[in-house]
Amino acid sequence: MRTLVARLDSDGDVLLAGPAVRAAATAGEVVFLCGPNGRHAAELLPGVTRVLEWECPWVVHPAPDVRPLDIEAVIALVHGVRADVALVLTSFHQSPLPLALMLRLAGVPRIVARSADYPGSLLDVRLTEERDVPEAVRALEVARAAGFELPEGDDGRLAVADPPGSGLDRPYVVVHPGASAPARTWSPDRWAKAVVALTAAGFRVVVTGGPGEAGLTEHVAGACGIDLGGRTTFRELSGVLAGASAVVVGNTGPAHLAAAVGTPVVSLFAPVVPAARWAPHGQHVLLGDQDAPCRGTRARECPLPGHPCLDLVEPADVVAAVAEVMT
């Protein structure tokens, strides 16, 4: 059997699809359809045999134009996969139906998804129940509705294939200050103060970040931390996180990557999305006011002066959380 698994968001979302992928892989080949911001994670998922990339105009932010030639090209690409079944994985605020229509036009004979809207003939199996469960569990429920189950001994945690060695002397704690949505991470000066506090408490600190975050990581690392901002690929970052004693991070992809390599996480979590769904799917300590007025807004930029849900957290709180999560 050949299964097409679609998750069109970013790396963190794709990592949370991992247990569903492993369940589908018990029946045969898995082709993963993802967006450009999710490809690096898709290539690391155990069970994925091929990755297809598409910039989806109703998922990617900022959204590209809807162009008929692009839609036709994706339909042709999926048609060439000859999938027996497709799992369309979405968050609660996304509809699977536009993609389901394209998959149907591509000739996919069986499509399974969760949909609040009436799907007509677009879905063969439709899940409607919404529960406050982790996103990884929510995705796995779609795979189970398609008839797939995790292999014996698989506990349903996140996983990536073969993280490389970091080449860093251990022990160390990773601080990852960046996020694609500014509302979902701490202010840069707070991160910098946390690095100083962690160093004063005896921790060796490594600061990580993407290619566009070198200025941020340089500021946060200061004179105390080891700055790796922009110097690792996503796979190399998995190795750095795997070698860490703990990872301090906002609600962003590396939090899920840390969980996938089994490293405990201190999560500075803004409640713009619910922690019950999006907190790291593994050992973690949650910091931040989960009842702040921004709760549930899905805001990308903080809608409140001073970013109170996170900026009321003190560097000393981070130090205490790191000590807690490491015990």
Short mmCIF file of all heavy atoms in Angstrom, two decimals, residues 266 287 312-322:
data_model
loop_
_atom_site.label_atom_id
_atom_site.label_comp_id
_atom_site.label_asym_id
_atom_site.label_seq_id
_atom_site.Cartn_x
_atom_site.Cartn_y
_atom_site.Cartn_z
N VAL A 266 12.29 23.24 28.46
CA VAL A 266 11.67 24.32 29.21
C VAL A 266 11.00 25.20 28.16
O VAL A 266 11.65 25.82 27.33
CB VAL A 266 12.70 25.12 30.02
CG1 VAL A 266 12.03 26.35 30.66
CG2 VAL A 266 13.32 24.25 31.10
N LEU A 287 6.40 27.46 31.11
CA LEU A 287 6.46 28.76 31.75
C LEU A 287 5.60 29.75 30.97
O LEU A 287 5.50 29.65 29.75
CB LEU A 287 7.91 29.27 31.81
CG LEU A 287 8.91 28.46 32.64
CD1 LEU A 287 10.30 29.09 32.55
CD2 LEU A 287 8.47 28.35 34.09
N LEU A 312 6.65 38.54 32.06
CA LEU A 312 6.60 38.49 33.52
C LEU A 312 7.39 37.31 34.08
O LEU A 312 7.61 37.21 35.29
CB LEU A 312 5.14 38.43 34.00
CG LEU A 312 4.31 39.69 33.72
CD1 LEU A 312 2.88 39.50 34.23
CD2 LEU A 312 4.94 40.93 34.35
N VAL A 313 7.80 36.40 33.18
CA VAL A 313 8.69 35.31 33.59
C VAL A 313 10.09 35.89 33.81
O VAL A 313 10.60 36.66 32.99
CB VAL A 313 8.75 34.21 32.51
CG1 VAL A 313 9.73 33.11 32.92
CG2 VAL A 313 7.36 33.63 32.28
N GLU A 314 10.72 35.53 34.90
CA GLU A 314 12.05 36.04 35.24
C GLU A 314 13.13 35.03 34.83
O GLU A 314 12.88 33.82 34.80
CB GLU A 314 12.15 36.31 36.74
CG GLU A 314 11.22 37.41 37.24
CD GLU A 314 11.59 38.77 36.68
OE1 GLU A 314 12.76 38.96 36.29
OE2 GLU A 314 10.71 39.65 36.65
N PRO A 315 14.34 35.52 34.53
CA PRO A 315 15.45 34.59 34.24
C PRO A 315 15.66 33.55 35.33
O PRO A 315 16.00 32.39 35.04
CB PRO A 315 16.64 35.54 34.10
CG PRO A 315 16.05 36.81 33.61
CD PRO A 315 14.72 36.92 34.31
N ALA A 316 15.44 33.94 36.57
CA ALA A 316 15.59 32.97 37.67
C ALA A 316 14.58 31.83 37.54
O ALA A 316 14.86 30.69 37.94
CB ALA A 316 15.43 33.67 39.01
N ASP A 317 13.41 32.14 36.99
CA ASP A 317 12.40 31.09 36.77
C ASP A 317 12.90 30.07 35.75
O ASP A 317 12.63 28.88 35.86
CB ASP A 317 11.09 31.70 36.28
CG ASP A 317 10.48 32.68 37.26
OD1 ASP A 317 10.64 32.47 38.48
OD2 ASP A 317 9.85 33.67 36.81
N VAL A 318 13.63 30.55 34.74
CA VAL A 318 14.19 29.66 33.72
C VAL A 318 15.25 28.77 34.34
O VAL A 318 15.30 27.56 34.10
CB VAL A 318 14.75 30.47 32.55
CG1 VAL A 318 15.53 29.57 31.60
CG2 VAL A 318 13.63 31.18 31.80
N VAL A 319 16.10 29.36 35.15
CA VAL A 319 17.14 28.56 35.82
C VAL A 319 16.51 27.46 36.67
O VAL A 319 16.94 26.29 36.63
CB VAL A 319 18.05 29.46 36.68
CG1 VAL A 319 19.05 28.61 37.48
CG2 VAL A 319 18.80 30.46 35.80
N ALA A 320 15.50 27.81 37.43
CA ALA A 320 14.83 26.81 38.29
C ALA A 320 14.15 25.75 37.44
O ALA A 320 14.19 24.55 37.79
CB ALA A 320 13.79 27.52 39.17
N ALA A 321 13.56 26.13 36.31
CA ALA A 321 12.88 25.16 35.44
C ALA A 321 13.87 24.22 34.79
O ALA A 321 13.60 23.02 34.63
CB ALA A 321 12.06 25.89 34.38
N VAL A 322 15.05 24.73 34.39
CA VAL A 322 16.07 23.87 33.82
C VAL A 322 16.52 22.84 34.85
O VAL A 322 16.64 21.64 34.56
CB VAL A 322 17.27 24.71 33.31
CG1 VAL A 322 18.47 23.81 33.02
CG2 VAL A 322 16.89 25.49 32.07
#
